[in-house]
């Protein structure tokens, strides 16, 4: 589902990185190491206490620690690729979104900004330099899909289409409010409108899907490590999935993907 390993350029609008800001970086590192087998390397110094999570030496995600006086919600953030962070930030503002932080330089990593769409879902934009983002295309602990959970798809679908050039494909089901976002004919993300079922405590948000070999076993391990289960494992269109939260409350989806159709 992600772009192939070794890609030298991410198509603008493609999810290219996921990052998590927490209150206790050390204990969060331990949780994801046990669950996914991640190892860590230092991240850009401009971002404060920050590490890059590695699988087999390849970067898959980032994690940082909030200042002690910051009490912000803990959540995974999806970053979308751009060739020009400043121009994309202006387009976001012009289309009803908000740019909360940046664009700012992150050293050799490039230029980044934290934004939100018109429905309030937070996401990042990343103009990459030498650091190209998630570099593997599958395997346990790899982010393999990103989905926007929002109230309805009408307004935000047009927002992402205008800002990032996504082609929106509507689900062929009258009772399902769902869009698949395409770039260059390839699906890169999705938007799911859930109406009144949108969690009040979270609002509209981007969801990261991490690959695991056995979602049922991974759910049990999440609980043993101090996390919690929100939705028990079930079979869905992408494969077998479960919705869980880490010990600090960051919500993510575990998925064992269905094999490609022959």
């Amino acid at each position: 589902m992600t772009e192939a390993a070794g890609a030298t350029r991410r198509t603008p609008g493609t999810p290219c990185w996921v990052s998590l800001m927490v209150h206790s970086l050390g204990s969060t590192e331990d949780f994801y190491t046990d669950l996914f087998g991640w190892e860590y390397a230092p991240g850009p110094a401009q971002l404060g206490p920050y590490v890059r999570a590695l699988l087999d030496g390849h970067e898959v995600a980032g994690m940082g620690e909030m200042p002690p006086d910051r009490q912000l919600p803990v959540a995974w953030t999806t970053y979308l690729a751009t060739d020009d962070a400043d121009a994309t930030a202006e387009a976001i503002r012009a289309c009803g979104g908000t740019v909360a932080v940046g664009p700012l330089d992150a050293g050799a990593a490039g230029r980044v900004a934290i934004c939100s769409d018109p429905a309030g879902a937070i996401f990042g934009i990343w103009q990459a330099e030498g650091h190209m983002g998630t570099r593997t295309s599958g395997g346990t602990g790899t982010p393999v899909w990103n989905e926007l959970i929002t109230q309805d798809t009408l307004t935000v679908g047009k927002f992402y289409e205008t800002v990032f050039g996504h082609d929106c494909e509507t689900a062929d089901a009258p009772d399902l409010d769902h869009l698949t976002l395409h770039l260059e004919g390839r699906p890169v993300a999705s938007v799911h409108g859930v109406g009144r079922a949108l969690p009040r405590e979270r609002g509209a948000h981007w969801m990261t899907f991490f690959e695991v070999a056995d979602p049922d076993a991974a759910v049990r391990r999440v609980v043993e490590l101090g996390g919690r289960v929100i939705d028990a494992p079930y079979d869905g269109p992408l494969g077998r999935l479960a919705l869980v939260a880490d010990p600090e409350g960051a919500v993510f989806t575990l998925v064992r993907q269905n094999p490609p159709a022959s």
Side-chain angles (χ1 to χ4, degrees), residues 10-220:
R10 299 302 173 100
T11 305
T14 304
C16 61
W17 190 243
V18 292
S19 188
L20 177 65
M21 297 299 292
V22 299
H23 301 292
S24 176
L25 183 56
S27 60
T28 301
E29 289 180 64
D30 291 343
F31 172 85
Y32 287 99
T33 292
D34 193 299
L35 185 63
F36 293 146
W38 287 355
E39 298 177 332
Y40 303 96
Q46 294 88 340
L47 301 180
Y50 191 89
V51 296
R52 294 169 291 128
L54 309 175
L55 278 173
D56 298 325
H58 298 291
E59 299 162 328
V60 292
M63 294 194 298
E65 188 167 85
M66 298 182 200
D69 59 344
R70 299 288 294 275
Q71 297 298 319
L72 300 175
V74 176
W76 281 100
T77 299
T78 297
Y79 284 73
L80 304 179
T82 176
D83 286 340
D84 187 333
D86 295 87
T88 300
E90 287 303 313
I92 288 168
R93 294 187 185 100
C95 292
T98 300
V99 180
V101 178
L104 52 83
D105 290 325
R111 195 158 172 79
V112 300
I114 302 297
C115 314
S116 60
D117 66 26
I122 295 171
F123 63 95
I125 56 174
W126 185 3
Q127 178 185 336
E129 297 296 340
H131 175 92
M132 296 307 297
T134 299
R135 296 184 183 178
T136 57
S137 56
T140 295
T142 303
V144 292
W145 192 247
N146 293 268
E147 181 170 81
L148 173 60
I149 312 298
T150 190
Q151 187 167 17
D152 66 79
T153 63
L154 182 62
T155 299
V156 293
K158 292 179 179 178
F159 170 83
Y160 289 97
E161 184 176 21
T162 302
V163 174
F164 295 103
H166 293 123
D167 294 321
C168 299
E169 179 185 0
T170 304
D172 188 19
D175 58 343
L176 181 63
D177 188 13
H178 190 277
L179 299 176
T180 302
L181 304 181
H182 291 77
L183 288 169
E184 300 175 346
R186 181 176 58 88
V188 296
S190 53
V191 183
H192 188 190
V194 297
R196 293 184 178 180
L198 187 69
R200 291 186 179 181
E201 72 279 7
R202 302 191 64 204
H205 59 278
W206 278 91
M207 173 67 64
T208 302
F209 291 66
F210 291 99
E211 176 83 17
V212 292
D214 184 343
D216 297 76
V219 161
R220 292 192 293 270

